[in-house]
Amino acid sequence: MIRDINRKKTVKNAWRITKNRALTCLRIRVPGGHLEARHLELMKKVAEIYGNGTVHLTTRQGFEIPGIPFEKMAEINNLITDYIAFTGQHLSTEVISSREGYPAAGTRNISACIGNRVCPFANFDTTKMALEIEKTVYPNDFHVKIAVTGCPNDCIKAHMQDIGVIGQALPEYETQSCIGCEACVKNCRKKVTGALSMVDFKVERDPRRCIGCGECVLVCPTQAWTRNPQKFFRLVVMGRTGKKNPRLAAPFAEWVTAKVVLGIMENLYPYIQQYIDKSLVKEHVGYIVDRTGYQVFRDWLLRGITLNPEARIAPTMQWSGYMYGYDTDAWDTKSTIPGSL
Amino acid sequence: MKKLLQKDEFDALLSTSSGVQFLGPVRLKGRGRFSDTDLIKYGQIKSFTDIVWDSKTYLSAKELILPITETLLDFTGTTVVQPPVEDAILVLFLRACDIHAIERLDAIFLNNGPSPDPYYKQKRDRFKLVLMECAVPFDSCFCVAMGTNTVSNFGAAVRCIEDGILIDIRDEWFTSQIAGSGTDTEFELQFPQQNGADVHVPHIKEMQEQLFTHEMWDEYSKRCIACGRCNTSCPTCSCFSVHDISYGHDSNSKIARRQRVWDGCHLDGFTDMAGGAAFRIECGSRMRFKTFHKIYDYRKRYGVNMCVGCGRCDDVCPEYISFANCINKVNDLVNESRSTPDE
Amino acid sequence: MNNAWVPVANRITDIIKETDVEYTFTLESSIRPDHGQFVEVSIPGIGEAPISVSGTGDGWIQLTIRAVGHLTCAISTCKVGEQLFIRGPYGVAFPSALYENATLVVAAGGCAVAPVRTLIRSRLADKKLAANTRLLFGFKNPESVLYKDEIDEWSKLVQTIVTIDKEACSWNGRTGLITSHVADVDIPDLSQTHVVIVGPPVMMKYTSAQFFSRGIKQEQIWLSFERRMACGLGKCGHCKIDNSYVCVDGPVFRYDKALHLID
């Protein structure tokens, strides 16, 4: 069989190059990680009719359906059109009516923890927010990873993303409603940052230490603590894995509104466009930031954005992490670890 | 006298009654324990639409009559100042169980001890109670078992209908307030006759001593986390502690405030004495203490069970401990350990 | 309306340091508490606590405080001429009239001598009653013996047994727990006897047991309870045990009632 495949176009269309030259693998986006159960029928159908009957769940909450012959791509793209239209309602009619499958794959599925549809700790509806972000950033094809998590427990691992969105609750305290049981103070000290302390049988909150997790609201027996109904977010940026310098994302913004979050997401792409190293197949955004420096990155991301009054933006950035390629000559070996192995 | 008040007629009454505050269950949007949930609590009613009919309040109306934090006295040197006395009439919309609950509090704050509590009495005397009819009880209610499903001690009773309320007026004050408003009508107040929670309350004169130390309480030692939500949400829990706060000095006189704050028998420190002695260290014994108070020893002292079956404690326990089920467990043990009922 | 929460500022006229941590304050006061009653004592800005009255007289009361808590430590630093705020007295007193025609044994452990001191003083002030009074005190060590001089005076008038928990070089009196000396209390007529036992819960329990073994009945034993009362007015709930409030139904309870007060 003659197999003349435009690799770049295929990959952009959300089809993978695999070990087997005859077979590809379909990537399905699940923005916000939440599906209607009926959509599983589609995954099943594609896997059983075209693939090898299995489905892989990705770390980004998508599906990969392997073992599909390349020549079935058009047929399947047509088949998944309704699904793409459902999960990407913002996509242009041109994209949908072309029935040619996913328009881009570089900006990865926006993953989300289960959020406040279920989780008592979550400070907002993460799936809804993920869909909002999806609307803003997709179908860009730059390689960007974004995840959304309901609270600083960060179950979705927002700290491993290029941009991680973490829900913050601004706790408000009604002094007269407090019984001084210290549940919030003890809990904050044990589980969080120790932002609360007792003064004259009532609680004082140190706003510098409060991370907006909402735990005080959760444990208060009288609801003296409640959430400000306005939703706030912390953004952590440029976390990554990879073969060079894995590292956790670091805080970029705190107490910003959803509007600011989405504005920052939108601004990321012109920045990448401006500074990406086009000689590479795909350059991760984090390495671009390493090259341009934080200040340039920051200026581009905040362009045209009016910050809400509560917002705080990091003036400088220190990422942790380490570089691969360190010297292991002096490392212990089987023979040098005392009394073992 | 029974009347139909349209929404706008009701709202007109609210706005024209001077010196009267209207209080009832209201919705605080987004202020619930979990994000994107509302907090339902007692607060000021400014219009018909403020009243929440379809949800139970988290805290009961207790917080209006026994404020969570209440100033008792202010001190400047040796001068003792009592807080100013207010005189607004307080019209309170509440359910049958919560009216009973206020009577439970009355027993303690007005009738127990050497004299009525002046702070409580000062507010209590200003309350006018309006019964909110419970057509259908909530999921966790067990008022029928506690005998609090019906009530007669109210000035007026209301039923919510689509475009207003039906009001059954039982006293002169309400009659004079409402005369001239609305249209005469007929309706019969309904009281729930059955609850979702099937509760059986033991009726005994003296609790057998072995039930105080029974192993059934051990389970609660393992489950209860002493958060006190059952106490704070309970409309009849009445315990408080007294704290002093120092505000430093003012021209050589010490300025200080004495206040009382809700306390609860499930909370750590409730029995702590100076010097380190404490009672009921285990949460199971706190559960026993509370349970017997609610369904046994209060009745021995005041003639009626303290618990009013509102089910709030079951609604709020983060460990999903059911007080209703605890009552049933005690009832089973009581029945097991005696051949014939003694009451 | 009369507000029972309002305290009266009373001047401190005398302070006696009894032990390392115990002080007896004499205050100007017009109240006349009965034996075993208590008052709510406060320093505004610090706090309020129930304290039993350890002495009364015309225009004065005495309070013996043990500096172990937030408030009592603050009180212990007060000086003559300063004021303490007092409200009360509260609670049910020892039924001293009932004891008049009987032998009265008073057994007290540690600082619990304070709440029975006025009872003892009134008994010993009357020659006939003094003759029918027996005292039994237990202390931890020689340093913690409260009212030492007064006890010496009492011992000249009536049988007075004082014991400390363990032998000590500065002590040549009795040693061992109070329970081990109950047998030596001179009780001429068991049926015409009342026993007052005050102290920590464990002490009251086992001392009572010793008196039972001597033939004393539950109805002849009187205990005094200590709880964390925040009001003294039957409202705050801290001192409720079963259907009793220690502040209004106690602190003095007859044994047969106290028996059913399970915390």
Side-chain angles (χ1 to χ4, degrees):
Chain A
M1 183 187 279
I2 296 168
R3 201 171 276 119
D4 183 5
I5 291 163
N6 180 335
R7 190 197 64 80
K8 287 180 182 163
K9 188 168 167 276
T10 303
V11 168
K12 191 181 178 192
N13 195 206
W15 294 93
R16 282 189 74 138
I17 297 304
T18 74
K19 278 167 66 181
N20 188 323
R21 206 162 171 84
L23 300 176
T24 179
C25 174
L26 174 64
R27 301 179 133 163
I28 298 279
R29 299 175 80 84
V30 184
H34 216 89
L35 273 184
E36 289 187 12
R38 67 186 167 94
H39 291 132
L40 296 173
E41 300 282 355
L42 176 67
M43 312 306 153
K44 183 172 185 276
K45 191 171 169 186
V46 174
E48 287 182 347
I49 296 175
Y50 303 97
N52 62 15
T54 70
V55 171
H56 181 78
L57 301 178
T58 77
T59 189
R60 303 209 62 79
Q61 300 179 322
F63 293 97
E64 293 202 15
I65 307 177
I68 298 171
F70 277 108
E71 51 274 22
K72 296 292 182 189
M73 289 192 298
E75 200 177 327
I76 295 170
N77 278 343
N78 181 48
L79 193 64
I80 63 175
T81 299
D82 288 350
Y83 175 80
I84 293 172
F86 184 84
T87 53
Q89 289 177 13
H90 63 289
L91 294 172
S92 67
T93 45
E94 203 184 328
V95 165
I96 301 301
S97 59
S98 74
R99 307 190 76 84
E100 283 177 357
Y102 282 109
T107 291
R108 298 294 199 244
N109 186 48
I110 316 299
S111 49
C113 72
I114 195 161
N116 81 357
R117 293 181 185 187
V118 174
C119 179
F121 294 98
N123 288 319
F124 67 108
D125 184 339
T126 50
T127 298
K128 195 172 154 215
M129 181 70 170
L131 287 164
E132 288 294 313
I133 294 170
E134 175 90 349
K135 257 190 236 174
T136 308
V137 302
Y138 188 76
N140 274 300
D141 200 42
F142 288 131
H143 193 267
V144 174
K145 291 168 178 156
I146 299 168
V148 180
T149 202
C151 79
N153 278 343
D154 191 10
C155 294
I156 200 64
K157 316 304 172 207
H159 279 84
M160 301 296 286
Q161 316 292 321
D162 296 315
I163 301 188
V165 181
I166 302 170
Q168 290 189 293
L170 180 59
E172 290 177 349
Y173 179 67
E174 186 71 53
T175 309
Q176 295 297 302
S177 297
C178 172
I179 60 167
C181 69
E182 301 189 35
C184 58
V185 175
K186 288 177 186 163
N187 183 68
C188 191
R189 193 189 305 138
K190 279 186 197 162
K191 281 175 73 176
V192 198
T193 57
L196 305 176
S197 55
M198 292 304 291
V199 177
D200 279 339
F201 306 100
K202 302 292 183 188
V203 182
E204 279 192 3
R205 166 177 168 267
D206 181 350
R208 293 168 306 171
R209 300 179 82 170
C210 174
I211 59 168
C213 64
E215 285 270 351
C216 47
V217 181
L218 293 175
V219 301
C220 178
T222 55
Q223 298 297 159
W225 284 111
T226 58
R227 298 153 199 278
N228 181 318
Q230 168 77 53
K231 300 278 192 292
F232 294 99
F233 304 90
R234 163 187 288 111
L235 294 180
V236 292
V237 296
M238 303 305 130
R240 63 189 173 203
T241 54
K243 300 182 184 87
K244 199 171 175 181
N245 171 218
R247 66 189 187 191
L248 287 180
F252 169 73
E254 292 205 348
W255 305 108
V256 291
T257 59
K259 196 178 163 204
V260 172
V261 171
L262 296 174
I264 287 171
M265 297 286 181
E266 201 172 352
N267 283 345
L268 180 66
Y269 290 86
Y271 165 76
I272 298 173
Q273 178 70 45
Q274 177 73 22
Y275 293 105
I276 193 165
D277 181 347
K278 295 188 178 74
S279 71
L280 297 166
V281 176
K282 54 171 188 182
E283 192 183 27
H284 285 81
V285 59
Y287 294 102
I288 304 174
V289 180
D290 291 350
R291 204 167 53 245
T292 66
Y294 172 68
Q295 299 303 330
V296 172
F297 166 77
R298 181 179 125 133
D299 291 350
W300 275 79
L301 259 64
L302 295 178
R303 240 182 219 187
I305 288 176
T306 309
L307 291 174
N308 53 296
E310 301 83 358
R312 294 286 180 275
I313 306 293
T316 57
M317 190 68 69
Q318 287 290 324
W319 281 283
S320 56
Y322 62 91
M323 301 295 286
Y324 279 121
Y326 40 77
D327 182 6
T328 59
D329 275 359
W331 281 40
D332 282 327
T333 64
K334 191 176 176 181
S335 60
T336 55
I337 294 172
S340 70
L341 311 170
Chain B
M1 186 170 70
K2 291 171 185 170
K3 287 202 167 192
L4 162 67
L5 292 172
Q6 302 286 344
K7 281 179 191 175
D8 51 347
E9 292 174 308
F10 182 84
D11 287 352
L13 276 175
L14 295 191
S15 59
T16 55
S17 305
S18 65
V20 182
Q21 269 187 46
F22 294 86
L23 302 160
V26 299
R27 182 181 303 275
L28 271 63
K29 199 91 187 120
R31 297 281 174 176
R33 185 175 300 280
F34 308 122
S35 62
D36 291 334
T37 63
D38 301 336
L39 176 61
I40 313 296
K41 64 174 287 175
Y42 276 86
Q44 200 139 359
I45 297 167
K46 297 197 184 77
S47 89
F48 176 82
T49 49
D50 288 343
I51 306 176
V52 176
W53 294 88
D54 59 359
S55 301
K56 215 186 284 182
T57 57
Y58 173 66
L59 299 182
S60 71
K62 176 177 81 179
E63 65 169 321
L64 300 173
I65 194 162
L66 181 67
I68 298 173
T69 304
E70 183 166 33
T71 298
L72 298 177
L73 301 167
D74 281 310
F75 296 88
T76 305
T78 53
T79 311
V80 187
V81 180
Q82 298 181 47
V85 172
E86 290 172 31
D87 55 9
I89 289 171
L90 306 165
V91 174
L92 177 58
F93 288 74
L94 73 179
R95 311 270 174 179
C97 55
D98 288 345
I99 290 179
H100 282 277
I102 288 182
E103 291 177 1
R104 304 299 187 272
L105 297 176
D106 287 348
I108 292 170
F109 285 93
L110 300 180
N111 300 325
N112 199 42
S115 56
D117 183 84
Y119 306 94
Y120 182 91
K121 188 173 189 319
Q122 207 276 125
K123 281 185 280 296
R124 181 70 177 94
D125 289 347
R126 293 189 284 129
F127 273 107
K128 308 277 182 198
L129 305 183
V130 179
L131 170 70
M132 294 170 73
E133 181 187 68
C134 289
V136 184
F138 297 105
D139 176 50
S140 59
C141 297
F142 55 99
C143 52
V144 177
M146 301 313 303
T148 54
N149 53 325
T150 61
V151 67
S152 54
N153 177 21
F154 52 85
V158 291
R159 172 186 295 172
C160 178
I161 55 170
E162 206 174 318
D163 43 4
I165 56 162
L166 299 174
I167 183 162
D168 179 345
I169 300 153
R170 302 284 177 96
D171 80 5
E172 285 176 17
W173 187 84
F174 280 103
T175 306
S176 66
Q177 292 291 306
I178 295 170
S181 302
T183 47
D184 291 342
T185 188
E186 266 308 318
F187 77 104
E188 278 309 310
L189 271 182
Q190 302 291 311
F191 296 104
Q193 298 303 322
Q194 216 176 349
N195 295 129
D198 191 21
V199 175
H200 301 275
V201 187
H203 290 285
I204 44 165
K205 278 184 186 150
E206 288 298 330
M207 190 67 74
Q208 297 97 324
E209 229 145 80
Q210 70 262 27
L211 290 194
F212 281 77
T213 51
H214 195 276
E215 63 186 13
M216 77 164 273
W217 306 113
D218 297 345
E219 183 203 343
Y220 297 107
S221 292
K222 295 185 190 116
R223 291 174 66 192
C224 173
I225 57 167
C227 74
R229 278 176 229 184
C230 54
N231 292 139
T232 57
S233 66
C234 178
T236 68
C237 268
S238 56
C239 292
F240 59 84
S241 282
V242 175
H243 302 307
D244 275 22
I245 296 166
S246 175
Y247 293 104
H249 287 73
D250 167 37
S251 60
N252 293 330
S253 296
K254 274 191 212 163
I255 302 177
R257 169 165 290 181
R258 182 158 299 158
Q259 60 189 22
R260 65 178 169 199
V261 180
W262 287 3
D263 206 337
C265 56
H266 273 269
L267 290 164
D268 289 339
F270 182 72
T271 64
D272 287 4
M273 295 197 295
F279 305 91
R280 300 188 295 280
I281 307 297
E282 293 291 324
C283 289
S285 58
R286 298 178 194 179
M287 186 71 179
R288 184 261 301 156
F289 182 84
K290 179 189 71 186
T291 304
F292 285 180
H293 190 35
K294 297 294 176 190
I295 61 161
Y296 162 63
D297 64 59
Y298 182 96
R299 175 164 47 85
K300 267 207 295 185
R301 191 173 182 98
Y302 304 105
V304 58
N305 274 323
M306 188 181 205
C307 174
V308 294
C310 74
R312 286 187 179 88
C313 49
D314 279 24
D315 297 336
V316 303
C317 178
E319 299 299 313
Y320 287 66
I321 291 169
S322 167
F323 180 64
N325 195 40
C326 182
I327 296 175
N328 285 340
K329 286 186 198 173
V330 172
N331 187 57
D332 289 346
L333 288 174
V334 164
N335 288 336
E336 269 171 35
S337 60
R338 71 175 175 197
S339 44
T340 52
D342 61 7
E343 213 176 87
Chain C
M1 182 178 166
N2 178 43
N3 186 344
W5 287 93
V6 177
V8 176
N10 290 140
R11 207 173 69 89
I12 299 167
T13 56
D14 185 41
I15 301 169
I16 301 162
K17 190 172 194 300
E18 306 277 3
T19 67
D20 280 351
V21 289
E22 284 144 325
Y23 302 81
T24 297
F25 287 77
T26 306
L27 306 173
E28 285 174 352
S29 175
S30 56
I31 60 169
R32 286 306 292 261
D34 202 350
H35 312 307
Q37 283 193 301
F38 66 97
V39 290
E40 288 282 346
V41 183
S42 63
I43 300 177
I46 304 287
E48 190 173 49
I51 308 273
S52 48
V53 177
S54 63
T56 58
D58 204 11
W60 57 270
I61 59 168
Q62 284 180 320
L63 307 171
T64 301
I65 64 107
R66 196 175 157 80
V68 287
H70 183 55
L71 174 69
T72 47
C73 286
I75 293 176
S76 71
T77 64
C78 285
K79 295 178 181 64
V80 170
E82 292 183 337
Q83 315 243 23
L84 291 179
F85 283 72
I86 305 288
R87 57 185 178 89
Y90 299 120
V92 171
F94 289 105
S96 47
L98 188 72
Y99 306 152
E100 273 179 12
N101 298 316
T103 299
L104 180 68
V105 181
V106 180
C111 56
V113 186
V116 291
R117 187 164 73 152
T118 65
L119 176 65
I120 295 169
R121 280 178 174 176
S122 80
R123 290 282 295 198
L124 301 197
D126 180 308
K127 273 217 172 81
K128 185 176 140 275
L129 295 179
N132 290 330
T133 304
R134 312 284 182 268
L135 306 177
L136 174 56
F137 302 132
F139 296 99
K140 201 169 177 161
N141 49 44
E143 294 73 41
S144 63
V145 176
L146 204 54
Y147 313 133
K148 194 167 181 317
D149 296 342
E150 193 166 1
I151 289 174
D152 285 346
E153 292 302 313
W154 293 343
S155 65
K156 290 172 193 161
L157 300 171
V158 295
Q159 184 194 18
T160 303
I161 298 172
V162 182
T163 177
I164 62 164
D165 288 357
K166 286 183 199 143
E167 281 184 38
C169 51
S170 61
W171 185 259
N172 49 20
R174 291 180 183 236
T175 58
L177 295 178
I178 195 166
T179 46
S180 56
H181 301 280
V182 169
D184 297 338
V185 177
D186 172 29
I187 303 177
D189 180 353
L190 278 175
S191 68
Q192 290 300 304
T193 300
H194 286 280
V195 182
V196 165
I197 303 174
V198 286
V202 180
M203 173 270 178
M204 292 199 286
K205 183 181 170 187
Y206 289 103
T207 309
S208 298
Q210 290 300 316
F211 280 101
F212 294 145
S213 67
R214 288 200 59 183
I216 296 288
K217 296 194 168 46
Q218 290 185 358
E219 296 75 21
Q220 296 170 274
I221 292 183
W222 303 80
L223 310 175
S224 180
F225 277 42
E226 213 185 339
R227 287 298 179 278
R228 187 201 169 179
M229 303 154 191
C231 70
L233 302 166
K235 314 286 193 240
C236 80
H238 280 282
C239 71
K240 187 197 76 72
I241 317 173
D242 196 54
N243 66 338
S244 296
Y245 289 78
V246 173
C247 68
V248 294
D249 305 322
V252 174
F253 291 101
R254 204 168 73 175
Y255 190 94
D256 51 324
K257 168 74 180 170
L259 179 64
H260 301 291
L261 300 180
I262 303 170
D263 276 294

